[in-house]
Amino acid sequence: MYDLVALEAELAGSIFAGKLHFSSVTGSTNADALAAARDGALHGSVFFTDEQTAGRGRGDHSWQSVAGEGLYVSVLLRPDIVPAYLPMIPLTAGLAAAGAIGAAAGLNVDIRWPNDLLLGDRKMGGILVESRTDANGAAFAVIGIGINVHQQGFDPNLSTPATSLDIESGRTISRQALLIALLKSLQQEVWGLYDSVIVAAIPARVALMSTWIWNRRVEVHGPQACVGVTAGLDANGFLLVRTHRGIVTVQTGGIRAAEVE
């Protein structure tokens, strides 16, 4: 179980201080955060749980959220940033998660654009960012992050084989330490969204932490469905894919490895 008093002490002075909302079981932390945001919840509010009964990933995919086995958390942000920087939020969340996993578990994460966290060829975590407006018309974003921590077995029919931090590190990783590292890392990344120089460097930083951004043959799922070879990220963080019809700028969707021609 989480030590809520110790969590508050570790996060004192951060944007999350006094805004931690824990439930032992919930349907979805993202749903909780979205509902709270519509009711005026503050920037930096954190919703986390031991178990989700209706966890969600991108494209309404379900996310297995076994009790006490993973980190299931959603963070509400109301950043007063340039609207053009909003597409960077999923990328900053990925950078924050990768940094936290490195700090807490000593593992190097491979970010599969835009929202998958991989260790080798196995998926260990995912990110779901949902943007909305509240009753006053103010924009906000909810960053949902799910990370497999203690799991030892997975559904063999998953589209991408899964793993956990415990399996890959060979030791028991503290969910509490991981959550603290994640929130501290996320705060640093969010602060960077107020600096145009830091924002401009985000695509290059993601590319350095990903084997999927350059020269990878992929199949794109979503509105810009196509098959081709990745050719980097543009200034907005969108994925460029070189196809036989030219470059496709993928703004949303997901990618998987494609067979080599």
Side-chain angles (χ1 to χ4, degrees):
M1 296 294 291
Y2 293 101
D3 183 335
L4 301 182
V5 174
L7 277 173
E8 286 286 4
E10 283 283 349
L11 297 169
S14 73
I15 62 173
F16 312 111
K19 304 172 190 172
L20 301 181
H21 305 274
F22 173 76
S23 55
S24 57
V25 181
T26 191
S28 159
T29 58
N30 258 38
D32 294 344
L34 288 167
R38 296 188 186 99
D39 290 335
L42 298 175
H43 174 69
S45 295
V46 180
F47 301 82
F48 62 114
T49 186
D50 264 334
E51 179 184 5
Q52 293 184 120
T53 58
R56 295 181 293 116
R58 180 188 54 79
D60 288 330
H61 293 161
S62 63
W63 180 266
Q64 296 182 6
S65 308
V66 181
E69 297 289 279
L71 179 66
Y72 319 121
V73 59
S74 297
V75 178
L76 168 62
L77 297 179
R78 299 182 184 275
D80 184 19
I81 60 174
V82 177
Y85 293 170
L86 291 175
M88 293 295 184
I89 291 179
L91 300 185
T92 60
L95 291 170
I101 290 165
L107 298 169
N108 295 320
V109 173
D110 188 1
I111 300 174
R112 182 169 65 186
W113 188 95
N115 64 342
D116 289 337
L117 306 172
L118 276 61
L119 294 170
D121 62 353
R122 295 180 177 273
K123 184 174 177 178
M124 155 277 306
I127 298 166
L128 175 63
V129 177
E130 298 182 280
S131 299
R132 301 283 192 276
T133 55
D134 62 19
N136 297 316
F140 64 86
V142 168
I143 299 175
I145 299 176
I147 298 174
N148 298 331
V149 181
H150 302 314
Q151 290 93 329
Q152 295 296 316
F154 301 91
D155 182 347
N157 298 315
L158 294 172
S159 59
T160 299
T163 190
S164 69
L165 299 186
D166 283 6
I167 291 173
E168 298 298 327
S169 67
R171 58 191 175 93
T172 300
I173 302 302
S174 165
R175 290 189 303 154
Q176 175 121 346
L178 179 61
L179 177 58
I180 292 169
L182 175 62
L183 292 176
K184 289 183 175 180
S185 182
L186 184 59
Q187 177 169 273
Q188 289 295 121
E189 295 294 344
V190 170
W191 280 345
L193 293 174
Y194 295 87
D195 186 319
S196 61
V197 174
I198 294 176
V199 170
I202 289 174
R205 290 177 59 209
V206 172
L208 285 174
M209 301 188 70
S210 175
T211 64
W212 295 82
I213 302 301
W214 285 97
N215 301 318
R216 189 74 176 256
R217 185 168 174 77
V218 299
E219 181 178 357
V220 177
H221 301 275
Q224 291 104 19
C226 62
V227 175
V229 177
T230 55
L233 300 176
D234 70 7
N236 296 310
F238 298 140
L239 183 66
L240 303 177
V241 179
R242 183 178 295 107
T243 74
H244 67 280
R245 290 179 292 183
I247 294 289
V248 175
T249 300
V250 183
Q251 299 183 18
T252 186
I255 60 174
R256 295 291 185 273
E259 294 183 3
V260 177
E261 290 183 325

